[in-house]
Amino acid sequence: MTALLAEAAPRGAAACAHCGAPLPEGAARFCCAGCAGAHALVSGLGLDAFYRRQETAAGTLRPAEAPPETDFAALALPGRGGTHRLELMVSGLTCGACVWLLEQALAQEPDVLRARASLSARRLTLEWRGGAARANALVALIARLGFRAAPWSPACLRATEDAEGRALLRALGIAAFGMMNVMLVSVAVWAGTDMGEATRHLMHWLAALIGLPVVLVAGMPFYRSAWHSVRAGRPNMDLAVSLGILATTAMSLSETLRNGDYTWFDGATALLALLLAGRVLDRAARRRARQAVAELLALQEGTVQRLCSSGVAESCPAAAIRAGDRILLARGERLRLDGVVDSPEALVDTAATSGESLPRLLRRGEALAAGAVNLGDPFVLRVTAALADGSLAAMARLLERAEQARGRFVSIADKAARFYVPAAHAVALATFLGWWLWVGVSWQAALVPAVAALIITCPCGLAIAVPAVQVAASGALFRRGVLVASATALERLAGAGHVVLDKTGTLTEGRPVLLEEPGRRVSALREPAAQARASRHPLARALVAACPDAPPAPEGVVEVPGQGLRLAGVQGGGPEGETRLGSAPFIGLPQEDEGLTLWLARPGLSPVPFRFADRLREDAAPAVAALRELGLEAELLSGDAPPAVEAAAHATGIGPWQARATPEGKAERIAALSVAGHRPLMVGDGINDAAALALAHVSATPQGATDLAQGAADLVLRGEGLGALPYAIRVARRAQRLARQNIAFSLIYNMVAVPCAVLGYATPLIAALVMASSSIIVILNALRAGKVKA
């Protein structure tokens, strides 16, 4: 089988047929015996398509020289029906082709039931039928392919070194330093009209001594990307930028050697610094998107109290807990595993996982999902799923798949580059050949109009057309309190056609407040507020907040979790003659509670209701109306009870609504809208919204959202609540229009300037001035992205 990578390598720079690294002297096709064996393995499995897909950096797939020393059999976890599962951290996964090769090679093994790799988390999940000893053989197969495996832990994701990010920052620092120093020298040349020839020549050499190393070193991220795009047969924008920078540098060096009037090292280094700054920002946005998975995995870390058969509690890692184990959950502790309550009752806060406004009182045998917080007394939970099989792990896998799907979103500049880049290169080559072969000038003379054409067609304006607009739009949104967390968020936000809103914490403030009653005095709140000080229930805390000068809780107050408070030793109130503060059934009323209500029953007096409401954000209804004016149909999707969801939908003017929505249900609804072509915008704030936020076409989260929701969202609304969301959509749509205008201008400018360069009327100096002026026009137009009325 022909090695495609070797065929793609230029003469004099032969590459290894497997990993792409340069071949050592005397080697024919492979840089080492490991790569030869890996290539034979790939070919033997019939997976040669990997080499057509591969876009990884050279040398990253070279097999390890020594076999792994870890005994992976001891790490394999037993499953049902004689199966085993192993979680691995895989080094060397740098592109989709690597993931494809790894999964396909493992799937060829007859006993492997599942092999799923995540590019963002570098995580591989293996499941096979047979004994645990099979783990070492499967890891050896992974090593033969050129990847290195290590035991997985959530800390691995956060500790993984970001080599590409560090390389970009280093390149940006070099480019910025070089640009400033070259600019000092170049300004003297451009401004010094009376400068002597010898002095100008010295200045040119100083600029060359600084600019050449900067262009060669700082431009490596673009050169590597350009080379990989050529090798894959898909020229990208980096190829055009690389050729333009190198051609400008080459012409500047030629002018330096022959002591010409001007050089353009300043333009090459300034363009490098500008483009690298955009690349660093893009890298930071993608790293923040991966943070969502890290935050979710962090919820699963730590230890839990496992109950032994003797009833003694022992501390052990959450990952060591198996289905059927019993654990003890202390007051205030967050649940890390799914299970069912094995105590008479448990009071838990599920707002972050289910969206319910109030804590839930669960009885023995009721199911409880991971992520809830114990608000009552310690209780026992019988685990129903191990850590890797639970709801949090399933949500992490959803987030990973959603991130990879978003990664396939092609920006408008890359779409234009597919047609623009080949045409620009063809024009430059035709210009050189036409002057050299047809006109009959020397190749040195033919190179001048060819380089001028390449400089003019260098897509500087096109390369900064979209980044400049994004910077201006992101700056305007930042001033309004909107953080843009994804490089393609504005493009996707501009195309959104349907908005799905969560209720608790999104449309509402997420905390109940006491409603005013006509004729009720503030002094009437002192006694119930004092009794409420003995509870951490949200309604009790809201009652205390309404009367902050209430005295301390009296002695003898006893809390019945999930029901209310009773003041022991006081006769004549409540069903048992005690003063009670709580739900209607708790004080003996036959009626059901009307929404968020606390009842006070005192000796010899009629029960007094204290009604609360999860108050809507002040800008919720106007924001929904503004979204409707922008053409987005709104719907409400909440995990809260139907009465509360219906009231919120009616108050904000939202038509369709759904209550008791689970995290899986929200994700399924978003997926259904996406399949139907509605391009949904999801707005949520809780753990239960994270999967839906990640799956949506574009997503936003309001102020006060959980870290996980903010990590999964494309935009974070920190300044003006939901009122900033319609403004963000208007800015995004304007930014898209301006980006298209910039690209259109760049193309029209080339249609006018390129013929002048081809015919020899544009010298490299004129070409550089025209190119610079086009970039200035593009930047000035991009600044209009922030000129949107609030």
Side-chain angles (χ1 to χ4, degrees):
M1 181 64 65
T2 304
L4 299 180
L5 287 181
E7 292 177 352
R11 292 183 180 180
C16 175
H18 177 68
C19 72
L23 290 177
E25 185 177 355
R29 298 180 61 193
F30 304 104
C31 62
C32 62
C35 282
H39 187 275
L41 175 62
V42 173
S43 300
L45 294 173
L47 302 177
D48 301 273
F50 163 72
Y51 296 111
R52 293 189 293 273
R53 294 167 173 255
Q54 191 184 34
E55 299 175 3
T56 185
T60 57
L61 293 181
R62 184 177 299 179
E65 297 179 359
E69 299 179 357
T70 305
D71 181 16
F72 289 92
L75 302 174
L77 302 176
R80 298 179 180 177
T83 62
H84 281 82
R85 188 183 69 253
L86 183 63
E87 302 282 348
L88 298 172
M89 183 83 174
V90 181
S91 173
L93 291 180
T94 55
C95 65
C98 298
V99 173
W100 178 86
L101 174 65
L102 193 59
E103 292 180 345
Q104 293 296 320
L106 291 168
Q108 299 279 351
E109 297 295 310
D111 56 344
V112 173
L113 302 176
R114 185 166 68 100
R116 177 65 61 85
S118 167
L119 179 60
S120 60
R122 308 295 192 264
R123 183 179 188 178
L124 173 66
T125 301
L126 269 177
E127 187 174 352
W128 67 92
R129 186 183 298 106
R134 179 73 167 124
N136 289 321
L138 294 175
V139 172
L141 173 62
I142 295 171
R144 287 177 59 198
L145 293 171
F147 305 100
R148 300 186 181 185
W152 166 263
S153 72
C156 290
L157 182 59
R158 297 189 298 274
T160 300
E161 294 182 352
D162 191 353
E164 180 183 349
R166 291 198 308 274
L168 282 174
L169 284 174
R170 185 166 53 247
L172 175 60
I174 294 173
F177 175 80
M179 174 196 69
M180 291 184 291
N181 285 275
V182 171
M183 198 67 69
L184 289 174
V185 176
S186 299
V187 165
V189 175
W190 290 88
T193 55
D194 56 346
M195 181 179 293
E197 181 177 342
T199 305
R200 185 181 65 246
H201 194 39
L202 175 62
M203 291 294 185
H204 285 171
W205 274 111
L206 286 175
L209 290 175
I210 300 173
L212 282 175
V214 169
V215 168
L216 295 177
V217 176
M220 288 306 297
F222 297 102
Y223 308 150
R224 292 194 191 99
S225 175
W227 168 241
H228 297 327
S229 71
V230 171
R231 194 169 63 178
R234 295 189 297 271
N236 60 6
M237 184 65 71
D238 289 341
L239 177 59
V241 170
S242 300
L243 287 180
I245 291 173
L246 293 176
T248 304
T249 304
M251 182 56 66
S252 300
L253 182 60
S254 174
E255 288 292 293
T256 301
L257 292 173
R258 69 183 189 87
N259 196 16
D261 292 334
Y262 301 105
T263 59
W264 303 277
F265 292 110
D266 52 342
T269 54
L271 180 61
L272 261 181
L274 176 64
L275 295 178
L276 282 169
R279 191 65 57 90
V280 168
L281 293 176
D282 173 70
R283 179 75 182 179
R286 288 189 284 121
R287 185 172 61 250
R288 191 183 187 281
R290 288 197 300 271
Q291 182 184 357
V293 179
E295 294 286 352
L296 187 56
L297 293 172
L299 293 177
Q300 306 175 49
E301 287 187 323
T303 59
V304 297
Q305 299 296 317
R306 179 171 57 186
L307 293 177
C308 303
S309 56
S310 61
V312 178
E314 63 174 1
S315 180
C316 65
I321 300 297
R322 300 290 175 263
D325 290 349
R326 298 166 70 242
I327 62 174
L328 180 66
L329 200 68
R331 179 189 291 267
E333 184 179 355
R334 185 177 293 276
L335 179 61
R336 307 176 189 277
L337 299 145
D338 300 332
V340 295
V341 177
D342 204 20
S343 293
E345 59 185 20
L347 181 65
V348 293
D349 178 9
T350 61
T353 56
S354 68
E356 294 185 80
S357 303
L358 295 180
R360 293 177 57 194
L361 181 64
L362 301 178
R363 306 292 182 183
R364 187 186 300 272
E366 291 191 60
L368 184 59
V373 178
N374 180 20
L375 294 183
D377 296 331
F379 68 91
V380 177
L381 187 91
R382 180 165 50 83
V383 177
T384 56
L387 199 64
D389 301 324
S391 57
L392 290 181
M395 194 176 296
R397 289 190 289 269
L398 260 179
L399 288 171
E400 290 171 1
R401 288 198 296 269
E403 182 197 338
Q404 292 176 17
R406 283 181 180 177
R408 292 193 291 269
F409 185 86
V410 181
S411 68
I412 186 174
D414 287 336
K415 292 176 184 176
R418 293 178 179 176
F419 306 97
Y420 179 88
V421 173
H425 298 164
V427 168
L429 179 61
T431 301
F432 174 75
L433 295 177
W435 282 93
W436 182 32
L437 300 178
W438 186 35
V439 179
V441 301
S442 65
W443 70 266
Q444 294 90 344
L447 188 62
V448 174
V451 171
L454 190 58
I455 293 176
I456 284 181
T457 57
C458 172
C460 301
L462 184 60
I464 66 175
V466 177
V469 170
Q470 287 180 336
V471 169
S474 298
L477 291 177
F478 181 78
R479 290 189 291 272
R480 286 292 303 272
V482 180
L483 302 181
V484 181
S486 171
T488 58
L490 293 179
E491 294 184 36
R492 288 182 278 119
L493 182 63
H498 191 99
V499 60
V500 179
L501 295 145
D502 175 49
K503 183 189 77 68
T504 306
T506 301
L507 286 180
T508 68
E509 295 178 351
R511 57 182 183 274
V513 293
L514 180 65
L515 298 177
E516 296 183 1
E517 294 285 347
R520 185 175 63 195
R521 299 179 179 179
V522 177
S523 59
L525 299 176
R526 290 179 58 84
E527 180 183 349
Q531 192 168 342
R533 286 189 181 275
S535 173
R536 292 180 58 84
H537 191 280
L539 294 187
R541 299 174 70 178
L543 185 57
V544 174
C547 186
D549 59 345
E555 295 183 4
V557 176
V558 177
E559 181 176 11
V560 180
Q563 299 184 48
L565 297 158
R566 66 187 184 195
L567 185 55
V570 179
Q571 301 297 321
E576 300 177 0
E578 297 174 329
T579 298
R580 294 194 173 195
L581 178 68
S583 64
F586 181 63
I587 69 168
L589 292 179
Q591 67 197 65
E592 294 291 334
D593 281 329
E594 301 173 357
L596 306 178
T597 306
L598 281 180
W599 291 85
L600 176 65
R602 294 172 294 182
L605 298 176
S606 300
V608 178
F610 297 94
R611 294 181 174 86
F612 302 81
D614 187 3
R615 189 167 52 192
L616 286 173
R617 294 181 185 267
E618 294 182 359
D619 56 358
V624 171
L627 291 172
R628 191 179 296 110
E629 292 177 359
L630 291 171
L632 277 74
E633 180 183 354
E635 70 174 88
L636 184 56
L637 202 59
S638 174
D640 211 344
V645 179
E646 183 179 13
H650 178 74
T652 54
I654 298 176
W657 58 272
Q658 180 183 344
R660 300 296 187 193
T662 63
E664 294 78 10
K666 291 186 177 185
E668 290 173 0
R669 177 58 180 161
I670 292 296
L673 289 171
S674 299
V675 171
H678 292 294
R679 299 187 302 277
L681 161 62
M682 175 67 193
V683 187
D685 74 312
I687 296 175
N688 59 323
D689 299 315
L693 290 168
L695 286 171
H697 179 72
V698 63
S699 56
T701 187
Q703 185 176 10
T706 62
D707 292 341
L708 178 60
Q710 292 187 16
D714 296 302
L715 299 102
V716 180
L717 312 177
R718 289 189 176 273
E720 301 181 17
L722 294 180
L725 186 57
Y727 174 76
I729 294 175
R730 291 196 297 270
V731 170
R733 291 179 178 178
R734 182 180 178 88
Q736 282 297 93
R737 290 194 299 269
L738 293 177
R740 291 190 176 94
Q741 290 175 11
N742 283 347
I743 290 176
F745 167 77
S746 298
L747 296 177
I748 293 173
Y749 137 79
N750 278 287
M751 293 174 62
V752 175
V754 168
C756 296
V758 171
L759 296 176
Y761 296 118
T763 64
L765 174 59
I766 296 176
L769 293 175
V770 172
M771 181 184 68
S773 63
S774 69
S775 299
I776 293 173
I777 294 174
V778 163
I779 292 174
L780 292 176
N781 189 47
L783 293 177
R784 297 170 55 214
K787 307 298 182 181
V788 177
K789 292 184 179 180

